[in-house]
Amino acid sequence: EVQLVQSGAEVKKPGESLKISCKGSGYIFTNYWIGWVRQMPGKGLEWMGIIYPGDSDTKYSPSFQGQVTISADKSIRTAYLQWSSLKASDTAMYYCARREGDASGFDYWGQGTLVSVSS
Amino acid sequence: QSVLTQPPSVSGAPGQRVTISCTGSSSNIGAGYDVHWYQQLPGTAPKLLIHGNNNRPSGVPDRFSGSKSGTSASLAITGLQAEDEADYYCQSYDSSLPGEVFGGGTKLTVL
């Protein structure tokens, strides 16, 4: 069974760093892209970026380039999303999702990681 | 403002048919990029409903169908059921960004 299991909810202060994770199982991890999607409270889905764990090829949305870093460790089948200095506006639910190729939809999603940033 | 435009809300009575539009431009849907649709039930992660414009993943009822023409796409839901009440999002690729783009989402209310 394909599963993407994300790390738990985080409560942080502005300026702090954070790294959340997404662990894949039930499929060949290096053969699928892992994307990250933000959903701010009461708002829609926003594509942040995507990584191919097979060769670490990474693409970012212009809106998130330089604001976050996406990485993956294929040895432990885990993708990451990290911030070096959080802002209150980073408060949101973050989802990871899998897709096979450039033209494919995201067919499996993680359960989401809620990040709350407040002083 | 989203690159792909969806109506904020649609509604229908049980058993009826509703459609949700997704309007793009020549740099995304109009350029031939595939459109995918997701259903997000309250408090849950999105679920892939339609991929590649009109293909249903295994397990998705045939009440759901997708189409694409020119710079727009549509999701149709027939035989509306109470359990269909959710937010629906379209997604495609935009060559001008470049990158994936989502529509702003449409809230479906079953009356």
Side-chain angles (χ1 to χ4, degrees):
Chain A
E1 177 196 8
V2 174
Q3 281 194 307
L4 294 174
V5 178
Q6 297 185 229
S7 49
E10 301 275 0
V11 179
K12 291 290 193 179
K13 292 184 174 6
E16 291 186 332
S17 62
L18 176 64
K19 191 174 189 178
I20 63 175
S21 66
C22 169
K23 185 174 178 66
S25 63
Y27 70 99
I28 300 174
F29 186 70
T30 50
N31 285 4
Y32 291 78
W33 293 83
I34 294 285
W36 288 94
V37 176
R38 182 176 79 173
Q39 188 167 38
M40 299 178 77
K43 302 298 184 182
L45 306 176
E46 299 173 89
W47 179 74
M48 302 176 71
I50 198 163
I51 188 166
Y52 190 73
D55 60 7
S56 293
D57 183 19
T58 308
K59 305 173 188 180
Y60 291 93
S61 161
S63 299
F64 292 93
Q65 178 86 46
Q67 308 304 308
V68 296
T69 301
I70 294 171
S71 61
D73 185 339
K74 60 186 179 183
S75 69
I76 55 172
R77 307 167 61 87
T78 301
Y80 301 97
L81 177 65
Q82 69 180 83
W83 296 259
S84 59
S85 181
L86 287 161
K87 310 180 191 68
S89 58
D90 292 318
T91 294
M93 181 71 82
Y94 293 87
Y95 294 102
C96 64
R98 182 192 88 158
R99 95 168 173 202
E100 184 170 12
D102 282 347
S104 305
F106 291 103
D107 60 354
Y108 283 89
W109 292 67
Q111 82 277 19
T113 295
L114 181 62
V115 174
S116 300
V117 185
S118 173
S119 54
Chain B
Q1 188 161 343
S2 302
V3 172
L4 302 179
T5 301
Q6 299 180 230
S9 63
V10 298
S11 63
Q16 285 190 331
R17 178 181 187 269
V18 296
T19 60
I20 298 173
S21 61
C22 175
T23 303
S25 67
S26 59
S27 62
N28 42 68
I29 299 174
Y33 295 108
D34 284 344
V35 177
H36 317 293
W37 290 90
Y38 302 88
Q39 176 193 60
Q40 187 176 31
L41 297 170
T44 69
K47 168 190 167 185
L48 181 64
L49 206 58
I50 297 287
H51 66 92
N53 306 315
N54 55 14
N55 299 292
R56 284 186 310 278
S58 174
V60 174
D62 59 7
R63 301 187 296 105
F64 295 90
S65 62
S67 63
K68 175 185 151 183
S69 178
T71 59
S72 295
S74 289
L75 173 71
I77 310 172
T78 58
L80 209 55
Q81 299 180 4
E83 67 205 48
D84 299 332
E85 194 161 280
D87 293 322
Y88 293 84
Y89 295 90
C90 60
Q91 179 232 321
S92 186
Y93 179 86
D94 193 291
S95 59
S96 67
L97 290 177
E100 308 296 323
V101 287
F102 284 98
T106 299
K107 182 175 182 60
L108 169 63
T109 300
V110 180
L111 302 171

